[in-house]
């Protein structure tokens, strides 16, 4: 997570990365860049504050405890971390509303190959929110283009920019996701307990 002042928005920007989340009553923007990952913006309609997470896979099938700091990379943990953080700050579960972003198929190579990571992330996010009875106000998921989002936690407004299919940004997102999947594959080979969705 890092923070800087943005001259366009005239506000502090808190940028979160995969596995991170942030909620606040401060007048800032919470930003992230998404490929096949998902971010869920939660907003308490009565307390008027919100938070954002960023996860890479739906859930961990590991029977062992995850290393500290890795929990938020999985949707089931990422959602619990964000919801619990907001509840501690005074939110009420029944007042939460959600906006869901990401799940693009940025690693698609064409032909018969279909990378299911984004689709599985979308399905997990929508199913989780339905089970938790948190209404989804916005669902901007899927497609092939990465997204950059800026979430304003005091108003629940989200500014979204689709990152076009050429340029360094898309290449760096693809590289990050390929490296992360390769790292998980190495962990799977060593431990034998990570399942791909």
């Amino acid at each position: 997570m890092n923070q800087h002042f943005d001259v366009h928005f005239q506000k502090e920007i808190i940028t979160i990365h995969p596995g991170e989340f942030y909620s606040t009553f401060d007048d800032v923007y919470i930003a992230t860049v998404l490929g096949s990952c998902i971010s869920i913006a939660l907003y308490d309609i009565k307390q008027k504050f919100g938070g954002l997470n960023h996860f890479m896979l739906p859930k961990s099938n590991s029977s062992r405890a995850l290393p500290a700091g890795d929990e938020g990379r999985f949707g089931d943990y990422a959602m619990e971390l964000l919801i619990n953080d907001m509840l501690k700050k005074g939110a009420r579960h029944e007042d939460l509303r959600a906006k869901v972003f990401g799940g693009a198929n940025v690693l698609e190579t064409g032909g018969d190959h279909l990378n299911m990571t984004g689709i599985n992330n979308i399905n997990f996010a929508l199913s989780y929110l339905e089970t938790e009875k948190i209404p989804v106000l916005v669902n901007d998921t899927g497609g092939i283009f990465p997204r950059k989002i800026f979430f304003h936690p005091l108003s629940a407004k989200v500014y979204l920019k689709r990152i076009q299919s050429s340029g360094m940004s898309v290449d760096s997102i693809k590289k990050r996701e390929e490296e992360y999947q390769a790292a998980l594959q190495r962990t799977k080979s060593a431990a034998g307990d990570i399942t791909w969705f």
Side-chain angles (χ1 to χ4, degrees):
M1 192 173 330
N2 58 47
Q3 182 172 344
H4 73 279
F5 183 79
D6 184 89
V7 293
H8 172 74
F9 288 113
Q10 288 294 302
K11 293 190 188 313
E12 290 292 320
I13 307 289
I14 312 295
T15 302
I16 63 170
H17 304 287
E20 297 179 338
F21 69 94
Y22 191 77
S23 74
T24 186
F25 283 94
D26 293 339
D27 187 13
V28 298
Y29 281 101
I30 308 169
T32 198
V33 177
L34 303 163
S36 59
C37 299
I38 291 282
S39 274
I40 297 179
L42 288 182
Y43 182 70
D44 184 298
I45 57 172
K46 292 188 178 166
Q47 296 294 322
K48 306 291 187 194
F49 84 104
L52 187 73
N53 63 18
H54 181 153
F55 62 86
M56 298 188 83
L57 293 171
K59 57 178 102 175
S60 168
N61 280 351
S62 175
S63 57
R64 295 178 293 199
L66 293 168
D70 280 353
E71 304 93 345
R73 293 177 185 260
F74 299 96
D76 50 353
Y77 288 101
M79 290 307 303
E80 292 298 320
L81 289 167
L82 179 57
I83 290 171
N84 289 337
D85 186 60
M86 290 183 66
L87 294 177
K88 285 181 200 170
K89 293 175 179 169
R92 292 173 53 102
H93 194 281
E94 60 269 23
D95 296 330
L96 295 177
R97 301 296 181 266
K99 296 184 178 185
V100 184
F101 303 93
N105 192 9
V106 297
L107 297 179
E108 179 65 62
T109 59
D112 293 333
H113 175 73
L114 178 64
N115 185 295
M116 296 294 291
T117 305
I119 294 166
N120 289 331
N121 281 338
I122 295 166
N123 291 339
F124 165 81
L126 298 177
S127 175
Y128 183 95
L129 292 166
E130 181 179 10
T131 299
E132 289 292 316
K133 297 181 173 45
I134 299 174
V136 176
L137 304 179
V138 173
N139 175 4
D140 190 291
T141 55
I144 60 170
F145 296 123
R147 297 160 170 86
K148 182 166 189 174
I149 61 171
F150 295 86
F151 173 58
H152 186 240
L154 301 188
S155 67
K157 288 184 180 177
V158 175
Y159 298 91
L160 181 145
K161 179 180 180 181
R162 291 186 208 298
I163 302 171
Q164 297 304 308
S165 61
S166 62
M168 192 55 133
S169 294
V170 172
D171 292 340
S172 62
I173 292 166
K174 285 182 180 181
K175 184 175 183 206
R176 178 184 74 188
E177 293 201 7
E178 287 168 350
E179 287 172 354
Y180 186 68
Q181 287 194 1
L184 287 178
Q185 189 63 41
R186 286 191 299 274
T187 303
K188 177 183 175 185
S189 298
D193 59 0
I194 292 179
T195 301
W196 287 98
F197 293 90

